[in-house]
Amino acid sequence: MMRRVLIPPTLAALPPRLPAGQVHLLAGQTMGTTWSVKLVGPANLPLGAVRAGIEAELDLVVAQMSTWRADSDLSRFNASPAGSWHTLPAACFKVLGTALQIAALSDGAFDPTVGPLVNLWGFGPDGARNAPPDAAALAAARACCGWQKVQVDTVTQAVRQPGGVYLDFSGIAKGYGVDRVAAWLRSNGISNYLVEVGGELAGHGMKPDAQPWWVALESPPGSEISESIVALHGRAVATSGDYRRMFAHEGRCYAHTLDPNTGQPVLDAPASVTVLHADCMLADAWATALIVLGMAAGGALAERNGIAALFVSQVAHGHTEYLTPALAALLE
């Protein structure tokens, strides 16, 4: 298998002096998945305090944005009566604003109101299912969706519940969590790190051996495409894959990649889409939008917006791939 090396231009900004200390590893669980942080620091670095700081940032994301917790800010909004206004915490409001921005740019391929469909198809807190929903249930869920229904007041950071809208940040919250942890590390004097939450990553600086944080881009199981590795410095990477969650019924697989416009799992979706971006939150959201759109429409949208993305699609003889110009420009 060939190896492809991607070098972001930010790598040229690495300081000439090597970081002093050693690489420490911390890990845990959050958002129904795992997190890990590799960081460079002295041997006597107070890792307990660092862990507490990291977990506090991730716990904030869960407390504000989890649909699996009835007491989260997002869940309280989702259960609120029609016509009511709700002031959201700053972090939650920021993620909503970004989600609506990507929804507009992707013509709804990314839609933070897709929650009723996520639950209906068995990919949310309502529990899994082993058969598709009937037409009536699907129509009812689709009637509740539509990012254009969300009305916000940027002055008061309030959101209006029009009735039945169920926000779901599962396509963006992990990336935001990565960004929060990275920001916390930098604000506490830790400038050389690699942060990962559920496969979404952000890196900064380098290791004591002068090597950057090399990361292999995720590929679908059984894929024989070229392995791509990227040096993360001031860059984040997120992958959306239709192989991650699915169920089979009568010989057909129904993946968790849902098209908000049809209310159903995407037919012939790419096996995966990986996005490289300065912000992990945006990488996460764009990866979701692009996999819904597919290689042709998604690739065109990524090109228009200068997004560095890798599309991998399954074909009869295996897998095929497409690198957007922004990603191809990083080839060493």
Side-chain angles (χ1 to χ4, degrees), residues 13-321:
L14 280 171
R17 296 180 60 183
L18 296 179
Q22 65 188 61
V23 177
H24 300 275
L25 172 64
L26 296 170
Q29 294 185 329
T30 187
M31 305 183 208
T33 185
T34 59
W35 66 265
S36 67
V37 173
K38 295 178 181 178
L39 58 94
V40 178
N44 62 349
L45 184 71
L47 293 178
V50 175
R51 171 184 287 276
I54 292 170
E55 291 182 335
E57 296 301 317
L58 296 172
D59 289 347
L60 178 145
V61 176
V62 172
Q64 293 189 15
M65 308 174 208
S66 173
T67 57
W68 297 75
R69 283 182 49 169
D71 62 343
S72 74
D73 293 278
L74 206 61
S75 290
R76 287 198 293 268
F77 170 82
N78 291 340
S80 62
S84 57
W85 282 87
H86 302 267
T87 300
L88 296 179
C92 194
F93 192 79
K94 177 180 180 178
V95 173
L96 175 60
T98 301
L100 293 175
Q101 175 190 15
I102 302 301
L105 290 172
S106 66
D107 197 23
F110 181 90
D111 189 339
T113 70
V114 77
L117 292 169
V118 173
N119 293 335
L120 181 65
W121 282 94
F123 301 120
D126 289 354
R129 63 184 305 142
N130 54 19
D134 60 40
L138 185 60
R142 288 185 64 193
C144 295
C145 300
W147 63 273
Q148 300 94 333
K149 297 179 180 181
V150 180
Q151 182 181 353
V152 300
D153 184 331
T154 57
V155 175
T156 62
Q157 294 191 345
V159 186
R160 183 179 182 273
Q161 169 61 271
V165 163
Y166 184 107
L167 294 173
D168 186 324
F169 291 170
S170 59
I172 193 172
K174 286 190 300 180
Y176 179 68
V178 170
D179 288 337
R180 284 198 69 94
V181 170
W184 184 89
L185 292 171
R186 292 194 302 273
S187 69
N188 283 272
I190 300 172
S191 57
N192 299 281
Y193 57 78
L194 179 67
V195 178
E196 178 265 339
V197 177
E200 324 296 27
L201 303 110
H204 192 273
M206 57 182 165
K207 295 180 284 186
D209 62 1
Q211 286 293 315
W213 303 102
W214 290 105
V215 172
L217 302 188
E218 185 177 337
S219 59
S223 171
E224 296 181 356
I225 64 170
S226 300
E227 181 184 37
S228 297
I229 61 170
V230 60
L232 291 186
H233 170 57
R235 284 292 180 269
V237 62
T239 298
S240 184
D242 71 350
Y243 51 85
R244 288 183 169 178
R245 297 178 65 192
M246 65 179 68
F247 67 86
H249 178 72
E250 295 183 350
R252 178 182 167 186
C253 287
Y254 296 86
H256 78 290
T257 302
L258 301 177
D259 184 348
N261 293 309
T262 66
Q264 301 187 50
V266 180
L267 292 174
D268 301 321
S272 69
V273 175
T274 298
V275 172
L276 188 67
H277 200 282
D279 299 306
C280 200
M281 173 172 60
L282 286 168
D284 199 3
W286 273 119
T288 301
L290 297 179
I291 198 171
V292 169
L293 289 170
M295 185 177 288
L301 179 63
E303 288 187 24
R304 290 195 300 272
N305 287 274
I307 298 169
L310 170 64
F311 292 75
V312 179
S313 292
Q314 190 161 8
V315 293
H317 59 276
H319 290 85
T320 186
E321 60 182 354

Side-chain angles (χ1 to χ4, degrees), residues 3-17:
R3 171 172 286 188
R4 178 189 294 128
V5 179
L6 304 169
I7 305 293
T10 50
L11 208 62
L14 280 171
R17 296 180 60 183

